[in-house]
Amino acid sequence: MQDKILIRDLKLFAYHGVNEEEKINGQNFCFDVDLYVNIIKPCVTDDVNDTVSYAKVVKTIRRVFCGEKYNLLEKAAQITADAIFDEYEDVYRVDITLKKPEAPIKADFGWVGVQISRER
């Protein structure tokens, strides 16, 4: 089964990076998150209590991503995936794309980032 709840273009401001100025000044980041869940029950019941609330997941992502400073996007993405699994037992897989559109790179680019897939 490949049912998913999707979060796209979640924009958060945080203080991650290997350069000191990134930890001081901060910058924008953007998440795409795929939550793999069985959504057959909420399709029938139409009850938010029978599904994984994307609003609550956004709060979780904001709390863990903005609550600390990480050098690497890889670490920030992993911590985010871990928190989702810790707080939402119905999620059996998560795909996270974490984008850094303002990375301090001397080049013309749209964004750089990482993508991870984790399963229970």
Side-chain angles (χ1 to χ4, degrees):
M1 178 178 310
Q2 293 296 308
D3 294 344
K4 295 185 227 179
I5 294 172
L6 306 173
I7 300 168
R8 292 290 180 264
D9 298 322
L10 173 62
K11 293 168 184 58
L12 297 173
F13 189 87
Y15 299 86
H16 308 303
V18 295
N19 299 315
E20 193 61 29
E21 61 270 12
E22 293 177 285
K23 288 184 173 56
I24 294 169
N25 300 326
Q27 62 193 291
N28 293 303
F29 296 85
C30 188
F31 277 89
D32 290 336
V33 181
D34 293 12
L35 305 165
Y36 291 76
V37 297
N38 181 335
I39 59 173
I40 291 173
K41 185 174 182 182
C43 287
V44 173
T45 65
D46 196 29
D47 186 341
V48 70
N49 296 309
D50 291 334
T51 192
V52 174
S53 166
Y54 48 79
K56 289 181 181 178
V57 174
V58 166
K59 288 180 184 179
T60 297
I61 294 169
R62 182 180 294 117
R63 186 187 75 246
V64 299
F65 184 74
C66 298
E68 298 287 333
K69 295 180 182 181
Y70 303 106
N71 289 328
L72 301 178
L73 294 179
E74 291 87 341
K75 176 71 172 185
Q78 183 64 54
I79 292 297
T80 302
D82 291 343
I84 290 169
F85 285 140
D86 287 347
E87 296 181 28
Y88 306 95
E89 64 184 33
D90 291 340
V91 176
Y92 62 87
R93 176 179 162 181
V94 64
D95 296 339
I96 296 174
T97 301
L98 176 51
K99 305 170 190 176
K100 189 173 182 179
E102 300 167 3
I105 299 171
K106 294 182 187 210
D108 185 15
F109 65 96
W111 56 272
V112 297
V114 298
Q115 187 173 52
I116 67 170
S117 295
R118 300 292 185 264
E119 291 187 43
R120 286 192 190 272

